Amino acid sequence: MSPLHGALITATIFNQGRLIEPTIVDRIMDEDTFMLRDDAGEVEIYLGPNPVPVAVGTTVTVSGIVDDDEGTIPEIYAQSLVTETGETITFDHSYD
């Protein structure tokens, strides 16, 4: 696990399961998944079944739930996202 993964998980635990940390969108994986990146590493963000509403290079703050199943890369199930312009986008999920 990279330092970024550890920081994201720790931040999420201390914020009642919500990730609160601005990070840069590194790449779009598919229509509902993207990767966040900083100097420490990257983490996958899942929005499904919602489309990715931001472009690569955008700084975002994600609020969501960590899926840190043992043996897999941690993934954040995003509940909301705040863009660098302050726009808040919320996501509906069938698994809530």
Side-chain angles (χ1 to χ4, degrees):
M1 180 180 333
S2 75
L4 175 60
H5 292 135
L8 291 171
I9 291 168
T10 301
T12 302
I13 290 168
F14 285 111
N15 289 295
Q16 290 85 38
R18 303 197 182 286
L19 173 62
I20 302 173
E21 180 176 323
T23 314
I24 297 171
V25 175
D26 183 49
R27 66 186 178 276
I28 308 298
M29 307 296 290
D30 59 35
E31 68 275 353
D32 62 3
T33 307
F34 65 92
M35 298 294 280
L36 289 180
R37 168 193 52 80
D38 72 4
D39 293 338
E42 57 186 18
V43 66
E44 190 172 308
I45 306 298
Y46 177 68
L47 307 175
N50 306 281
V52 175
V54 292
V56 170
T58 304
T59 300
V60 297
T61 301
V62 175
S63 176
I65 299 171
V66 174
D67 177 4
D68 61 348
D69 290 336
E70 191 170 324
T72 64
I73 296 172
E75 179 177 49
I76 306 293
Y77 291 94
Q79 295 173 322
S80 67
L81 176 148
V82 179
T83 68
E84 57 198 7
T85 63
E87 177 185 10
T88 299
I89 302 165
T90 57
F91 305 105
D92 292 321
H93 301 287
S94 58
Y95 53 80
D96 283 344

